[in-house]
Amino acid sequence: MANPQDTSTLVQRRFWSLICLIFLLAVTSSAFAVKLTSTPILVGQQNEAVQTRVATDARSLEALLERHLLLLEVIGKAPDVSNVVMGYARNKEIVSQYLENGHQPDDLSWVAVYDILGAEIAIHAPKPDIRALFDTTEIEALVEDITGMAPTALHHVVLQEQGAHTYVLLTAPILHAGYVEGAVVATFEIDRATVFPESEIVQSIRMVHTSDLDAGHVPLAEGAVSAALEKVDLAIVMEPDQDSVRAAERRLFTNTVAAIATVLVIAFAVFAAAGRAALVEPHQRLARQKKDLAELAAVAERANDAIIVTDIRGIVTWTNPAFEQLSGFTMQEIHGQKPGDVLQGPETDPEHIALMRKALLNLEPVKLELLNYRKDGSSYWVSIGISPLSNEHGEGYGFVSISHDITQERAQRDAIVQAKQEIEYQALHDPLTGLPNRRALNLALQDRKATDPDDATIVRIDLDHFKYVNDTLGHEAGDFVLCSVADILRDETKEGDLPVRVGGDEFVILLGVGNTSAVGETVAQRMLERIRQPTSFEGKTVRVGASFGIASTHDGLLPIDSLTIGADAALYEAKDMGRDRVRLYTPALHDTVIGRRTLALEIRRAIANREFVPYFQPQFDAQTHDIVGVETLARWHSPTLGVMHPGQFLPIAEQLSVVDDMDAIIFDKAVAEISNLQRTGITIPKVSFNVTAQRIQNPKVFDLLESLPEGAPRIGFEVLESVLVEEQSDLFSFSLDRIRDTGVCIEIDDFGSGHASIIGLMHLRPDIMKIDQRLVMPILESEDARALLRQIIGMADILGLKVTAEGVETMAHAEVLAEMGCHTLQGYAFARPQPIEGLKALIEGRDPSISPRNKRA
């Protein structure tokens, strides 16, 4: 019989041998299992981390580009920019002025605007050397793409890198009335360190074009991940750090095997102490260990995010270091509590909390954005996902929540929204008065046209004597007046009305739906009474008036698209009637406007057909009555309207800004006709033309004078006396000197009709002074008129000027003027303005014997 002690020893020896064998097998198999599972776990972990990172960086880059594109779109919609691009205005500094009035980004290198043909109109370049990085063809291609008939949905860009700097070329359309009239192009510097922060899981990050990536033109390393931007032809390519994966695998294997060995030592020690339970306990512990390993695997999948594990009641059982780093709470501080009791605060959205609790109660996963609070009381935003945990029988035993910090992302989104709202507000409001601006009015009219096209009334307001306030009291007083008028508009309008400052001292009110022109007249009269009241600025009394024009679709005269024009016409009538009054757009005024519109169309057609012809009024020597020159006057030979004088069409032509075109036609025809006349043996010493100050400053006039053929008559330019008061700029003086150097005679027309000073006359240095006919007409009856005329002629003699008298109606006038010392006479007493045929007949039919010189002989 076996010795019980030996049996016991044998059993004990076999037991411990079995224990040791099982222990060795357990350690070995565990090590092998860890080896097989560590690499896939880490690869999956890294892939998810890289995917999350590349998506986050793509959103950051797209948010940055959207903010830049938004700035370009606002510039492209600005009326001042579209007017310059379309040629309605000339201002090469329009972009610089626009950005100086707004917020110019620090990362802006240069910005330029191009017209619909791709020609550069204006540029603003804080960093001009950056523009050289981009080929002209690249810029032209972007402009052509944005102004094309069928632009692509994806916004094209151009990238350039210079050392550590990356520059992106963006473009946006310039819109006018919904049509693309040009493009605005700009280069922005991208701070890669800000957009793509460093990370230990990423080896390299680069930006490529999405089209190149899709076409396979971009080489990709193994495991590389990309994310394309939604609205811009750009993508981010990110390559993971494979070395970090292998190092993490080794650390995980070593630490896990050591941990498993330690656990097994403890477990087998318990098995030995428990005796018969030694065969059951290892399986129980192994089950618990598998559960722990499953939780650890879930933790490993999102190791960079904050993780909380709770039991089925929502009590915290475990957190990872990332949670402590994000919230400031340690594992010991939050263990045994509910996360909401610790992390949520007064500004956490109650609806989100209720949604989260409902999902947990139903053991359903939930994902949302939530405002949490750190241990120090500061708040932060997280994107949190909570999933229930269940065993092999499907029974829930807890929850795991994974969250990552999105505070910066939320701030960027909020900043974009706030910037967009601010830009939209600035784009729709006047910065001085705070009233809506012209663009806001246009948008309101578009909305009204879409909803109530037959129900609109506009009140047009223009301040009277406002320029006097600016000139006498200064621009601060002028700004005070404008703000006061804006306050009156706010007080006198009601909800539904839109008071607008359209520019300068001009205002408009779009009345709410249901208001007729009678209501507009009542409102205008109330505002007029208040605007008339004197106000005080810095102890000085300020007085202004206002003229009002009202037009309404209710009167059946105008559609909503033409209301502004009708209100302008009524306003001009109010000013013509003496200002400081209210006028309605009436049927009679409507007929006048239609007539002017028809005349405007006829004038444009007449310019295209060169229907304007020169008439010539001879100028005579005061002593000999010989012809010494002719003044060229414009006549319009209209096939439908007949022969028209300047007074009938010149005001409309000035509004159309076509006076220079008319002057060019008259100049060409007059020089040609007088040159042909001289070839017949008839000599005209000088041909004078009425010119504006703007035409004198036009470089094309100088080129035209230099290109006159040899033998052409001497040219004289008659400039209104008002130029002596209004035009004293360096450009005007320089241009006048260039024209004088070509041999052109400079004449002051209608002298005595304005307020010119002797200093201004000396500054201009004309060759001839033409005395206004209103000073000439009364000299036969008024000794005062004759005395005044003698003083003017004496002043001209002192300055060395020739004197021409206009409006010489009778030969009696001619004799008196000759005695006073006038050099040249012009008027109906000698000849009326006539075409070239009449001038030729006049010269050929003159009898030399009737000249005063022959009579004296």
Side-chain angles (χ1 to χ4, degrees):
M1 185 173 183
N3 190 339
Q5 186 173 1
D6 294 338
T7 302
S8 174
T9 302
L10 180 61
V11 171
Q12 188 174 18
R13 185 178 300 164
R14 290 178 178 178
F15 174 76
W16 283 111
S17 298
L18 183 59
I19 290 296
C20 292
L21 179 60
I22 294 175
F23 175 78
L24 291 176
L25 289 175
V27 171
T28 303
S29 60
S30 298
F32 183 71
V34 170
K35 182 64 176 177
L36 291 178
T37 58
S38 61
T39 299
I41 290 174
L42 285 175
V43 169
Q45 175 190 354
Q46 186 190 46
N47 287 339
E48 280 198 29
V50 171
Q51 290 284 358
T52 301
R53 172 63 189 279
V54 75
T56 300
D57 289 351
R59 289 194 297 269
S60 297
L61 177 60
E62 187 148 43
L64 177 64
L65 295 180
E66 283 183 357
R67 187 162 63 251
H68 295 330
L69 285 172
L70 178 61
L71 175 61
L72 299 187
E73 288 174 2
V74 170
I75 295 175
K77 293 178 182 178
D80 293 340
V81 176
S82 62
N83 287 342
V84 171
V85 171
M86 295 173 67
Y88 293 154
R90 296 180 179 177
N91 186 357
K92 292 188 176 181
E93 304 298 326
I94 182 63
V95 181
S96 301
Q97 295 172 359
Y98 192 89
L99 290 176
E100 289 171 359
N101 293 335
H103 300 286
Q104 176 176 310
D106 295 335
D107 52 359
L108 175 65
S109 299
W110 65 274
V111 57
V113 296
Y114 296 80
D115 62 16
I116 193 67
L117 299 178
E120 181 179 294
I121 301 302
I123 185 169
H124 173 69
K127 302 174 184 178
D129 55 327
I130 301 304
R131 192 181 185 191
L133 298 177
F134 297 90
D135 292 337
T136 304
T137 55
E138 294 177 328
I139 300 176
E140 292 174 350
L142 281 185
V143 173
E144 182 179 358
D145 178 71
I146 203 70
T147 59
M149 294 301 295
T152 59
L154 200 60
H155 199 99
H156 291 172
V157 300
V158 177
L159 287 173
Q160 288 290 349
E161 293 192 358
Q162 187 182 45
H165 302 279
T166 298
Y167 301 93
V168 59
L169 185 64
L170 302 175
T171 182
I174 296 177
L175 301 176
H176 177 77
Y179 294 97
V180 177
E181 298 293 348
V184 55
V185 181
T187 296
F188 297 86
E189 181 179 355
I190 297 178
D191 187 354
R192 285 182 291 191
T194 302
V195 179
F196 310 128
E198 294 184 357
S199 173
E200 63 179 8
I201 66 172
V202 177
Q203 185 174 7
S204 66
I205 303 175
R206 53 190 171 129
M207 291 182 292
V208 299
H209 287 285
T210 306
S211 54
D212 293 339
L213 184 64
D214 294 340
H217 297 158
V218 178
L220 299 177
E222 180 182 356
V225 178
S226 64
L229 275 60
E230 293 181 1
K231 300 180 181 179
V232 182
D233 182 20
L234 280 181
I236 297 176
V237 176
M238 188 174 293
E239 297 179 2
D241 190 348
Q242 300 296 341
D243 291 337
S244 64
V245 175
R246 288 189 288 271
E249 178 185 358
R250 289 191 296 269
R251 288 195 302 271
L252 178 62
F253 176 79
T254 302
N255 295 337
T256 305
V257 170
I260 291 174
T262 303
V263 171
L264 289 177
V265 168
I266 297 173
F268 277 89
V270 174
F271 295 162
R276 288 177 300 175
L279 298 177
V280 178
E281 190 65 18
H283 295 285
Q284 295 175 343
R285 291 187 179 277
L286 183 58
R288 288 196 295 270
Q289 185 67 26
K290 286 181 178 180
K291 180 176 72 70
D292 293 338
L293 289 176
E295 293 177 354
L296 291 176
V299 171
E301 288 179 0
R302 299 294 297 274
N304 290 328
D305 295 333
I307 301 173
I308 300 176
V309 179
T310 70
D311 60 18
I312 196 65
R313 299 172 300 163
I315 303 299
V316 175
T317 60
W318 186 87
T319 63
N320 70 339
F323 168 80
E324 181 177 347
Q325 182 179 2
L326 178 62
S327 67
F329 292 100
T330 64
M331 170 65 182
Q332 291 74 18
E333 290 172 330
I334 198 172
H335 187 273
Q337 302 189 60
K338 292 185 176 182
D341 296 340
V342 178
L343 300 177
Q344 295 162 12
E347 296 185 12
T348 305
D349 190 348
E351 293 184 2
H352 285 179
I353 296 175
L355 179 64
M356 185 167 56
R357 287 177 177 174
K358 180 180 178 181
L360 297 181
L361 184 63
N362 297 328
L363 296 179
E364 297 174 349
V366 62
K367 185 172 183 179
L368 45 77
E369 292 183 358
L370 198 66
L371 182 67
N372 281 345
Y373 288 82
R374 297 184 178 89
K375 183 179 179 180
D376 60 8
S378 61
S379 61
Y380 63 100
W381 282 92
V382 293
S383 175
I384 182 171
I386 304 177
S387 300
L389 298 174
S390 58
N391 57 25
E392 63 272 15
H393 303 296
E395 299 172 347
Y397 64 87
F399 300 93
V400 59
S401 72
I402 303 176
S403 59
H404 65 273
D405 188 358
I406 60 168
T407 304
Q408 184 176 2
E409 182 180 334
R410 290 271 304 202
Q412 290 176 347
R413 294 207 307 258
D414 293 343
I416 291 174
V417 172
Q418 183 179 359
K420 184 177 180 180
Q421 293 174 346
E422 182 178 352
I423 291 174
E424 289 179 350
Y425 180 87
Q426 292 176 352
L428 296 175
H429 288 78
D430 172 49
L432 175 63
T433 63
L435 290 176
N437 59 15
R438 186 186 298 273
R439 184 181 176 211
L441 174 64
N442 293 337
L443 294 175
L445 286 172
Q446 292 176 11
D447 292 341
R448 185 71 63 86
K449 181 180 178 181
T451 56
D452 299 286
D454 298 326
D455 188 350
T457 301
I458 282 183
V459 180
R460 180 83 158 75
I461 309 162
D462 192 273
L463 300 184
D464 300 329
H465 315 301
F466 179 74
K467 185 176 184 299
Y468 175 78
V469 173
N470 270 337
D471 292 343
T472 58
L473 301 180
H475 290 286
E476 291 184 357
D479 291 345
F480 169 77
V481 170
L482 293 175
C483 293
S484 299
V485 172
D487 291 338
I488 293 175
L489 264 64
R490 292 188 185 96
D491 292 343
E492 298 298 336
T493 53
K494 57 187 178 181
E495 185 177 358
D497 299 340
L498 181 69
V500 177
R501 183 191 177 200
V502 294
D505 58 346
E506 303 173 9
F507 299 85
V508 168
I509 300 175
L510 173 61
L511 297 181
V513 174
N515 292 296
T516 64
S517 55
V519 176
E521 186 174 17
T522 301
V523 174
Q525 289 291 355
R526 290 202 310 265
M527 289 190 293
L528 177 58
E529 291 300 323
R530 292 188 60 181
I531 293 174
R532 283 173 176 168
Q533 300 301 318
T535 57
S536 178
F537 176 76
E538 294 183 352
K540 299 176 182 178
T541 301
V542 180
R543 290 184 175 88
V544 294
S547 299
F548 293 77
I550 302 171
S552 176
T553 57
H554 292 281
D555 299 330
L557 298 174
L558 294 172
I560 190 171
D561 290 334
S562 302
L563 274 188
T564 302
I565 298 175
D568 285 345
L571 174 68
Y572 295 145
E573 185 178 63
K575 287 185 174 293
D576 291 341
M577 296 179 66
R579 303 174 184 269
D580 203 36
R581 64 193 66 220
V582 179
R583 299 299 298 169
L584 300 179
Y585 187 79
T586 61
L589 181 57
H590 181 67
D591 293 340
T592 302
V593 170
I594 296 300
R596 289 175 180 171
R597 187 177 302 170
T598 302
L599 185 60
L601 294 175
E602 285 293 311
I603 288 175
R604 292 189 184 277
R605 183 193 56 76
I607 291 176
N609 296 334
R610 297 176 65 84
E611 294 176 2
F612 297 95
V613 297
Y615 271 46
F616 305 96
Q617 185 172 27
Q619 299 170 334
F620 298 86
D621 185 282
Q623 303 299 325
T624 66
H625 290 188
D626 293 334
I627 294 179
V628 295
V630 294
E631 179 181 0
T632 307
L633 303 170
R635 296 291 186 270
W636 178 13
H637 284 195
S638 171
T640 56
L641 304 176
V643 178
M644 301 186 69
H645 290 253
Q648 297 173 279
F649 60 83
L650 194 58
I652 303 299
E654 290 175 344
Q655 292 179 12
L656 297 174
S657 301
V658 296
V659 175
D660 284 353
D661 297 329
M662 293 167 46
D663 287 348
I665 295 173
I666 296 297
F667 185 87
D668 292 341
K669 289 186 176 182
V671 171
E673 290 177 356
I674 295 298
S675 297
N676 291 335
L677 189 64
Q678 293 191 152
R679 295 188 187 97
T680 66
I682 298 176
T683 301
I684 302 297
K686 177 172 65 69
V687 182
S688 298
F689 298 88
N690 292 293
V691 296
T692 62
Q694 289 76 16
R695 187 159 173 79
I696 285 178
Q697 295 175 116
N698 190 338
K700 293 182 179 179
V701 174
F702 177 77
D703 298 335
L704 181 63
L705 293 171
E706 284 197 325
S707 64
L708 287 174
E710 186 176 353
R714 188 184 183 194
I715 304 299
F717 277 178
E718 296 187 11
V719 185
L720 289 176
E721 183 213 36
S722 58
V723 172
L724 295 177
V725 179
E726 299 171 359
E727 293 288 348
Q728 293 294 328
S729 65
D730 293 339
L731 176 60
F732 177 79
S733 301
F734 174 75
S735 301
L736 197 65
D737 289 339
R738 290 188 70 192
I739 291 174
R740 184 184 284 113
D741 291 341
T742 65
V744 172
C745 177
I746 305 300
E747 307 177 29
I748 291 298
D749 196 15
D750 294 339
F751 188 84
S753 62
H755 305 84
S757 66
I758 298 177
I759 299 299
L761 195 65
M762 295 173 63
H763 180 76
L764 186 62
R765 297 183 292 110
D767 301 297
I768 296 174
M769 175 195 297
K770 296 188 70 175
I771 300 177
D772 189 89
Q773 61 180 348
R774 287 174 291 181
L775 297 178
V776 173
M777 298 275 302
I779 62 173
L780 296 181
E781 295 82 17
S782 172
E783 179 60 36
D784 291 339
R786 289 194 296 273
L788 177 61
L789 199 57
R790 288 192 186 96
Q791 295 297 327
I792 293 175
I793 295 173
M795 179 183 66
D797 288 339
I798 294 174
L799 297 176
L801 307 180
K802 298 289 185 180
V803 178
T804 297
E806 294 183 294
V808 182
E809 300 293 326
T810 66
M811 295 308 297
H813 283 89
E815 292 176 3
V816 173
L817 291 168
E819 292 174 0
M820 288 183 177
C822 282
H823 303 90
T824 306
L825 306 176
Q826 177 181 341
Y828 286 0
F830 296 94
R832 292 175 177 270
Q834 51 200 299
I836 191 65
E837 298 81 4
L839 178 64
K840 180 179 180 182
L842 173 69
I843 296 174
E844 292 178 340
R846 280 176 54 82
D847 184 358
S849 64
I850 65 174
S851 110
R853 176 175 54 191
N854 292 337
K855 289 180 180 179
R856 288 194 297 271

